[in-house]
Amino acid sequence: MTGLYIHSASAFIGKAHADEKLLKEELRKYTPDNFRRVNRFILLALIGARQCIHDHSIAGDTAVYLTTEYGNLSNTVTVLDEIYTAHSLPKPFSFINTMSNTAAFYLAQNLGIRGRSLTVSSQNLSFQRGIDLLMTDWSACSVTSALIGGVDVSSLSEAGGDDRNARGWQMVDGSGWFYVRTERKGACGVFRENRSFQDGATCRKWIRDRKEPFEDLVAFGPSIGEKEAAEWRTALPTTDEFDYLGQYGYCGSAAACGIGMFVKRFRGRSLLHIDRNQLGNYAVIEVEVF
Amino acid sequence: MKKGAFVTGKAMICSIGETPKEIVEAVRDQRIRMAHLSFPLAGLPYTRPYYLIMRNEEDRPENRSDGYFSKILFSTAAAAVNEAELSDDELKETHLFFGSTSMDVPVFEGNHRKTSASVSEIFLRSSNGYGKIASAVMERLGIRGCNYTFTTACTSSANAFLYAASMIGQGRIERALVIGYDLFNNLGFYGFEGLKSIAVTTYRPFDRHRDGLILGEACGAVVLEGRNRVASDFRFLGGANLCDIYSVTSHDEEGTTVAETMNRALARAGIDPGAIRAIKAHATGTENNDRTECAAMRLTFGKNLPPVTCVKPFIGHTVGACGVCELILFTESLKAGFIPSTPGFRDKDEECNLTPLMENEETGEGVFMLNYFGFGGNCTTLILSNKRGEE
Amino acid sequence: MKGSVDQRLKTDLKRLIVEECDLTIDTDEIGDDDLLFGSDSRLGLDSIDALQISIAVQNKYGQLITDSKQLRKVMRSINTFADFIQPE
């Protein structure tokens, strides 16, 4: 048990390449602040997190853990173009936003929170690794209230910018967030487990050996291929599946969005989320919705 | 139970050396090497200084290839692992904590010279996200643990160190390899010039005549373990990270959040401000940073401010790599018996009202504070000790 | 013609400022003598805006401003800015 009680969750799924003006309009539903100097990635982070907070009042020392595969890399492209194609010094707004933690900053500033602020990535398992870091702070009692989310823009999630990727998933912009606290009172769910394994065999053994498997839904992350998913289906006690990738689409932060969607949609149920990275490390998240 | 986290291996390359020993000797003698680079792509009629690695022809920015960047990264990581004498099995169980701002941008810029494709085309085609370099290090060294890439601007590798040490302290992991990596790239060099942040000739943090930062490149790696290998290994006592929401590019000059970060780090380390023997300041040499940092140190330490040193004038501001690289430079100097001086400092600034060490100061064992700040309001403080008999 | 009497140049500069600084006002809401920077000004632009504008100006008009103090002086108002770009 992680003790990470979910008090609210969100999953903003946006159309790939949608006009940024529409994103600004969406954001205006949640905050009157006018954001200058922001880009698509920052807007997505703000929308997802503000949707998650909604009408919750949050503690001033709430920490922010922003996980992302590609973060502000689209901005890095803009700046490289300014230097190499336009032969100019980069414009400050764009350059500053190549520092990928500016999204976490604007979020903290907008919410008036002054806790820890991290932006972290880990190829294919960014959200899971973000929870690792959050749990470290949780155990040390240096954080008791946090916003953790996964945000990615569609265009860099897979080069080419096609509407659908090779596996047929719709390419989307995604921003999935969780407001977590140490106290159970008022919570709508809990992250029961967040475990990492060096390989698939150890992961399977752990799942098999659990004394009280309880989840009634399973979800496979984007890195689990069709063939492997089929193997898992035969190995798992439950076969009911939450196919968030098929239903909502894919971006680098699909896992955070999928789990956010689960918390919003499946009251009284629980989910086992399995994913891996290209090095063969596995990560399992168990979520229970009250 | 809270365990210690000890720095048992380290390696580093920067403008003044390619081993910690070489670097410490250069620091002791104030031997600094700076290049003056122009902005040919933007056609600007002037140069700006940069702390460039300049050992041979291969190091010249225009000669650098893909292999060059990975060689620096992998050889530094491997040297740290070797110094800690990790066995293959130990290495396999290690977890990787990586901090950088430029990531693989230098590689894309280098490839651009060899093809007709634009940098952004190359970048879009082959970028695999921020986590890619950490994965490459894992594969190369045979590490099978988890990997974490921190992208919090100039505090990136300081935060990587903070979390690695905290996880070891909590017994979550046994061992970590922490890397700070930022090599020369036009994106950063032109970008900071666009912000008019680069000093014209000399690095002078805290000085009345300071006129900005001077960038540098470096790669540093440390191995952190739950036990020391030799008695002189530095131990992590505590640290903290907070976000100053004053502005995306600068901190509140009252220094409140910065001071709060220092205070929280002291509390986590379980020590009073009076126990700090010396402070390694972040000291970027910009107007705002230096004023803020001095105000914050005064809020935390009052009239009893311990000696303060600014190490950026030796190796430049190595941006995301500065967390690990300045930690190595500072702690290795301490092990060699001295707190480094601050070259370039001449005249006290009335607003900062702080004179950093102008000569090396002899020191024995002690507890030390290291401060790091960055864009996005990020503030990180680390507290390390080499006092014996406390492990 | 001095920049401050060149209405077209001044309109172009206002448009450039609105675009570069991502402002939500119309160009004609900026008065020719309005302070552009600082808490006393209605626009409330800051030093990063000034740098953003200076690079845009450099790209568009070829005028290089390397000193940040000069930058602030030049960009006091639309009139001072226009005179800098077009002194006569």
Side-chain angles (χ1 to χ4, degrees), chain A residues 37 61 65 68-74 76-81 83-90 92 95-102 104-106 108-109 111-123 128-130 132-143 155-156 159-160 196-199 277-281, chain B residues 39-44 46 92-93 97 101 105 108-109 112 118-120 123-125 127-132 135 138-139 143-155 159 162-163 166-167 170 172 186-188 190-196 239-249 257 264 268 374-378:
Chain A
R37 311 170 180 181
D61 62 350
Y65 302 80
T68 181
E69 294 282 315
Y70 302 92
N72 265 327
L73 285 178
S74 52
T76 301
V77 172
T78 308
V79 175
L80 288 172
D81 270 338
I83 299 171
Y84 285 89
T85 311
H87 297 291
S88 161
L89 288 177
F95 174 63
I96 290 162
N97 284 336
T98 63
M99 313 287 171
S100 26
N101 60 329
T102 53
F105 169 82
Y106 285 116
Q109 192 183 48
L111 293 169
I113 53 178
R114 295 160 189 272
R116 291 193 162 203
S117 175
L118 280 187
T119 304
V120 71
S121 190
S122 182
Q123 232 177 344
Q128 290 86 337
R129 295 295 176 250
D132 290 351
L133 301 178
L134 169 56
M135 281 170 62
T136 304
D137 290 333
W138 224 241
S139 301
C141 300
S142 45
V143 170
S155 58
L156 262 156
S196 298
F197 305 91
Q198 280 193 7
D199 51 57
N277 63 14
Q278 77 294 350
L279 299 167
N281 299 101
Chain B
F39 301 87
L41 292 163
L44 299 180
Y46 55 83
K92 193 180 159 197
E93 302 295 324
F97 296 75
T101 58
V105 165
F108 294 112
E109 290 186 345
H112 165 67
S118 76
V119 187
S120 51
F123 194 79
L124 277 169
R125 208 165 49 221
S127 178
N128 286 312
Y130 295 131
K132 183 179 149 191
S135 295
M138 302 273 287
E139 273 192 294
I143 299 174
R144 298 285 298 146
C146 299
N147 69 85
Y148 304 84
T149 294
F150 292 76
T151 60
T152 54
C154 301
T155 53
N159 284 330
L162 172 65
Y163 277 86
S166 302
M167 282 193 183
Q170 289 179 17
R172 287 178 180 274
N186 282 327
L187 185 126
Y190 283 59
F192 276 105
E193 180 54 22
L195 287 175
K196 294 280 169 281
N241 167 272
L242 284 176
C243 182
D244 185 342
I245 57 175
Y246 175 75
S247 147
V248 73
T249 49
T257 308
R264 288 197 189 191
R268 291 232 74 89
F375 279 178
N378 221 272

Side-chain angles (χ1 to χ4, degrees), chain B residues 89-127:
Chain B
D89 282 345
E90 285 174 327
L91 187 57
K92 193 180 159 197
E93 302 295 324
T94 297
H95 301 264
L96 180 65
F97 296 75
F98 185 85
S100 177
T101 58
S102 58
M103 301 288 171
D104 45 10
V105 165
V107 178
F108 294 112
E109 290 186 345
N111 287 344
H112 165 67
R113 283 191 291 272
K114 289 179 275 178
T115 70
S116 58
S118 76
V119 187
S120 51
E121 275 168 18
I122 300 171
F123 194 79
L124 277 169
R125 208 165 49 221
S126 44
S127 178

